[in-house]
Amino acid sequence: MATVEVKAARKSFGATEVLHGVDIDIADGAFCVLVGPSGCGKSTLLRMIAGLEHVTGGEIRIGGKVVNDVPPKERDIAMVFQNYALYPHMTVRENLAFSLKLRGADRATIAERVKTAADILGLSQLLERFPRQLSGGQRQRVAMGRAIVRNPQVFLFDEPLSNLDAKLRVQMRTEIKALHQRLKTTSIYVTHDQIEAMTMADMIVVMHDGRVEQIGAPLELYDRPANLFVAGFIGSPAMNFISGQQKNGAVIAADGTALPLPGAVARQDGRSVIYGVRPEHLVLAGPSEGVPATVDVVEPTGADTQVFTTMAGQAVAAVFTERHEFKPGDRIALRPRLEAVHVFDAASGQRI
Amino acid sequence: MSQGVIDGGLKPPAFPALARALDNRLVLSAIFMFPALSILLVFLTYPLGLGVWMGFTDARVGRPGEFIGLENYVSLFQDSVFLLSVFNTLVYTAIATVLKFGLGLWLALLLNNALPFKAIIRAVVLLPYIVPTVLSAIAFWWIYDPQFSIVSWALKQFGLIDRYIDFLGEPWNARWSVIVANVWRGIPFVAICLLAGLQTISPSLYEAAALDGANAWQRFRHVTVPMLMPILSVVLTFSVLFTFTDFQLIYAITRGGPLNSTHLMATLAFQRAIPGGQMGEGAAIAVAMIPFLVAATLFSYYGLQRRKWQQGESND
């Protein structure tokens, strides 16, 4: 187990810089999720930590030691690949034993470690099978088994669940989290799925265009997104944004609708802002106290009801845990819960 | 929906018996197989059968022979020139195959790396394979010429030898010379096939192996070689078959000389049958190659069968 520190890390492919100075401190034993849209540089960063990509600038430290020029095999890390990268010509047992065999471990140790890993992951019945004879979820487990037999300092996961179907993905998500709680090995997990990030992480790093947008605990990012990007990325369904201007303690949208502002936001009349409120923080109100909205589409999921409306001339979604029988075209009134309203500067996108 | 549309869809066929016959899988597959089957029968099975038959006769050019049983084979096994040709063929095939695979694999590994001007280099590699065999044989013949050999000239200029090498005049010199020519011609086929195989290996396997602690040699040994085995065994079989039955190169460079020391079974069969007129004996020599070829094919076939890891479901 070890800490992982990334200091002003840069990466260029030819003339194209894909990481523009990234700083991340990951505590010993933490489960850190790097999340961001495709092309944000999260996988590249993970591969740099693994030693599979050269570090163009800055430093990467594992356990306090700078590893920029240390080859992958000497970094004492294990990685689970998106396509699992199991050796197709080896049985599950041989796949698990390969790294130990290369390190010259004796037969008894190998057998014992393979057995332990197989027991943890429920692979004991499959040890003599070849990867082709396994289902997607079983392959995924073998890939994790290959990582844990080595008892490495750091686990790296590169979108390990994206090849699985939705149901299995949820199940494996829980298994990986349980595995981490059991082994307590520092883990870095790359995903583009913010639900995975929210459910698994101790610490989320939101990346966008080769920069870190915000680092924090899942609920911290949900409750206090630092900027528009994080606000829009974290949370599902995504946060509603309405642009307008501050005036007399409210935000006036383009069509003149007034949206109530929380008291904590500094009064600055005339400032262009983006008013953000999550769908789950809109409550149904009487016509006098809410903001008028027109129902466009209603999606009942059973557990909750998602209502897509037009409010202040813009598309706004709301989620209700109680059931409503709205029809498209109905006029309703929605009241934002003031404590959960986020206001961002329109020019910089930063939280106010 | 109107009545007319339904009628149009279900109109009874003009020839019901034919329509029903065409719906029969057996009839249909027989029709589809007919073109390929007839080509195989006319151009492969018939000549092969004729060759085997002629091996049991004393046919000569212009005179159909009579059945003489195994007489041709019995006399061949007492014929020192035939036995020498078998020896030559085995030496030629074994050494040339080993060299072609060693160098071909090396070249494929080089080409699989990021090289500058990769596309051009790959095209250049294929050149020996594209040039007609006889043309390249003539070039080699010139290279091996006793008086005008560029190799001898160059070695002499460097002061490494004091008299020109008699490449094609000494038995072992001649054997090595034709082997080199064959290897030069054969490398592109091996290299390009193996390169295709290398490119199907997922780079993440190498990354996984690197993280697992494998050095470059171990990655080659535990990832490249096993992953390349299926294509390697197919290419090996083809290469062995082509080399074992080689004719053009030998015939154009040495015609089997000196002292029959480069006669392969194929060139000897031709020489006995056509210039020599002994069709029956020539055919027997050609037929004697069949067991070797069958053995090489079976080797590859069972080699392929054994790889259990390739079987089973693939859902990726």
Side-chain angles (χ1 to χ4, degrees):
Chain A
M1 292 205 258
T3 59
V4 177
E5 294 152 83
V6 179
K7 301 271 178 227
R10 288 174 180 277
K11 175 69 188 175
S12 306
F13 292 107
T16 321
E17 192 171 72
V18 295
L19 285 184
H20 317 284
V22 169
D23 290 279
I24 305 170
D25 277 352
I26 301 166
D28 188 6
F31 197 107
C32 169
V33 174
L34 306 181
V35 66
S38 301
C40 70
K42 58 194 189 297
S43 279
T44 305
L45 178 60
L46 190 79
R47 292 169 59 82
M48 284 159 73
I49 296 170
L52 298 172
E53 298 283 356
H54 178 71
V55 180
T56 312
E59 262 181 17
I60 291 175
R61 296 165 185 254
I62 298 176
K65 186 181 145 215
V66 179
V67 294
N68 284 26
D69 297 315
V70 176
K73 63 172 184 158
E74 285 159 32
R75 294 189 182 195
D76 200 11
I77 45 177
M79 183 156 166
V80 177
F81 291 82
Q82 182 174 359
N83 63 0
Y84 316 137
L86 301 179
Y87 308 116
H89 54 287
M90 298 185 194
T91 61
V92 170
R93 182 191 300 284
E94 288 164 338
N95 263 286
L96 296 180
F98 187 60
S99 61
L100 298 172
K101 223 164 94 185
L102 289 177
R103 279 171 168 70
D106 60 84
R107 276 159 178 271
T109 316
I110 293 178
E112 187 207 315
R113 300 267 284 272
V114 168
K115 187 179 180 304
T116 314
D119 285 346
I120 292 176
L121 294 163
L123 293 169
S124 307
Q125 304 302 313
L126 306 172
L127 284 175
E128 306 312 323
R129 298 235 193 132
F130 287 98
R132 289 216 156 201
Q133 301 164 309
L134 302 177
S135 69
Q138 289 166 338
R139 289 183 205 183
Q140 170 62 51
R141 283 203 195 92
V142 177
M144 293 203 299
R146 203 168 58 176
I148 66 177
V149 281
R150 284 179 33 206
N151 195 14
Q153 303 253 28
V154 182
F155 284 138
L156 306 177
F157 297 89
D158 188 4
E159 308 215 15
L161 303 184
S162 52
N163 285 359
L164 300 178
D165 64 54
K167 200 174 165 193
L168 205 51
R169 191 147 54 204
V170 173
Q171 183 192 334
M172 291 307 293
R173 196 164 82 191
T174 317
E175 280 190 32
I176 293 178
K177 192 166 181 183
L179 191 68
H180 176 254
Q181 282 164 2
R182 174 174 178 161
L183 300 173
K184 299 196 168 53
T185 306
T186 313
S187 300
I188 306 176
Y189 187 107
V190 162
T191 180
H192 60 265
D193 179 350
Q194 55 94 15
I195 304 258
E196 260 173 46
M198 294 294 284
T199 50
M200 300 174 81
D202 298 327
M203 163 191 182
I204 296 181
V205 178
V206 182
M207 293 182 65
H208 182 221
D209 282 345
R211 288 192 177 81
V212 171
E213 295 284 349
Q214 191 174 0
I215 299 179
L219 293 181
E220 203 177 311
L221 299 191
Y222 179 86
D223 291 339
R224 286 190 62 81
N227 52 43
L228 273 175
F229 179 78
V230 177
F233 194 79
I234 298 291
S236 173
M239 188 186 285
N240 298 303
F241 294 120
I242 302 164
S243 47
Q245 286 196 326
Q246 245 180 303
K247 194 177 178 189
N248 298 332
V251 171
I252 312 300
D255 70 344
T257 313
L259 303 160
L261 264 183
V265 176
R267 298 283 179 267
Q268 193 181 345
D269 283 2
R271 185 177 190 180
S272 292
V273 295
I274 309 278
Y275 187 90
V277 60
R278 296 191 187 278
E280 55 271 36
H281 296 146
L282 286 168
V283 283
L284 203 59
S288 57
E289 49 181 298
V291 183
T294 310
V295 175
D296 293 327
V297 175
V298 183
E299 292 183 352
T301 65
D304 52 26
T305 310
Q306 295 193 23
V307 182
F308 297 91
T309 71
T310 306
M311 182 205 260
Q314 294 171 53
V316 168
V319 174
F320 304 109
T321 48
E322 66 279 6
R323 295 189 181 178
H324 293 286
E325 299 279 330
F326 296 131
K327 298 270 176 308
D330 282 357
R331 304 276 299 169
I332 55 174
L334 297 171
R335 180 173 54 80
R337 281 167 48 189
L338 280 188
E339 72 280 11
V341 165
H342 310 272
V343 184
F344 303 94
D345 184 76
S348 69
Q350 295 301 310
R351 181 185 191 85
I352 300 172
Chain B
M1 207 185 286
S2 79
Q3 192 64 31
V5 172
I6 293 173
D7 282 354
L10 295 176
K11 199 169 67 180
F15 303 97
L18 179 68
R20 227 172 302 127
L22 284 178
D23 273 341
N24 185 322
R25 284 173 56 93
L26 279 175
V27 174
L28 205 62
S29 50
I31 292 173
F32 283 144
M33 280 198 310
F34 177 73
L37 205 63
S38 49
I39 289 173
L40 284 175
L41 283 172
V42 173
F43 294 107
L44 284 170
T45 316
Y46 172 69
L48 183 67
L50 187 65
V52 172
W53 163 248
M54 274 168 58
F56 293 116
T57 69
D58 58 356
R60 291 173 189 234
V61 172
R63 199 196 68 168
E66 301 203 347
F67 183 77
I68 53 166
L70 290 171
E71 209 175 291
N72 281 329
Y73 295 96
V74 173
S75 77
L76 279 179
F77 278 95
Q78 290 152 359
D79 178 348
S80 63
V81 176
F82 170 74
L83 295 177
L84 180 64
S85 81
V86 173
F87 169 78
N88 289 337
T89 309
L90 292 175
V91 168
Y92 183 74
T93 307
I95 298 179
T97 304
V98 168
L99 289 177
K100 271 188 272 196
F101 270 78
L103 296 171
L105 181 58
W106 178 62
L107 195 59
L109 290 169
L110 279 183
L111 291 177
N112 198 33
N113 286 328
L115 283 176
F117 312 113
K118 195 145 117 180
I120 294 173
I121 293 175
R122 282 186 191 171
V124 167
V125 165
L126 268 177
L127 274 181
Y129 200 62
I130 295 165
V131 176
T133 312
V134 174
L135 206 64
S136 52
I138 291 171
F140 269 98
W141 185 47
W142 198 235
I143 289 171
Y144 294 146
D145 188 274
Q147 282 184 66
F148 304 108
S149 165
I150 187 170
V151 179
S152 293
W153 178 82
L155 290 173
K156 200 168 178 188
Q157 292 295 309
F158 284 119
L160 294 169
I161 53 172
D162 48 11
R163 47 187 285 260
Y164 274 30
I165 300 168
D166 189 5
F167 283 106
L168 301 178
E170 306 266 341
W172 276 105
N173 277 3
R175 284 186 189 123
W176 281 110
S177 301
V178 290
I179 285 172
V180 167
N182 179 278
V183 168
W184 181 82
R185 258 196 78 73
I187 282 179
F189 174 70
V190 176
I192 294 297
C193 289
L194 294 187
L195 178 63
L198 285 175
Q199 289 181 336
T200 64
I201 303 176
S202 161
S204 61
L205 283 183
Y206 290 106
E207 293 174 351
L211 285 162
D212 272 345
N215 58 32
W217 165 249
Q218 287 166 326
R219 289 199 291 273
F220 177 74
R221 161 85 187 70
H222 294 290
V223 178
T224 311
V225 171
M227 298 295 289
L228 214 51
M229 259 347 252
I231 198 158
L232 200 79
S233 67
V234 172
V235 178
L236 184 71
T237 313
F238 274 101
S239 175
V240 167
L241 295 186
F242 292 154
T243 316
F244 199 89
T245 57
D246 197 9
F247 172 83
Q248 293 186 62
L249 206 60
I250 301 290
Y251 208 73
I253 298 180
T254 66
R255 296 201 178 226
L259 301 169
N260 299 319
S261 61
T262 58
H263 247 317
L264 303 185
M265 291 167 84
T267 54
L268 189 69
F270 175 78
Q271 204 196 33
R272 292 271 167 96
I274 309 297
Q278 305 286 346
M279 298 289 279
E281 198 181 325
I285 295 174
V287 169
M289 295 166 72
I290 293 175
F292 293 100
L293 301 178
V294 169
T297 313
L298 286 181
F299 171 78
S300 141
Y301 182 75
Y302 285 107
L304 279 175
Q305 289 275 304
R306 230 177 298 134
R307 267 180 290 284
K308 219 167 48 175
W309 58 267
Q310 290 179 302
Q311 295 164 6
E313 280 294 296
S314 159
N315 39 11
D316 51 18

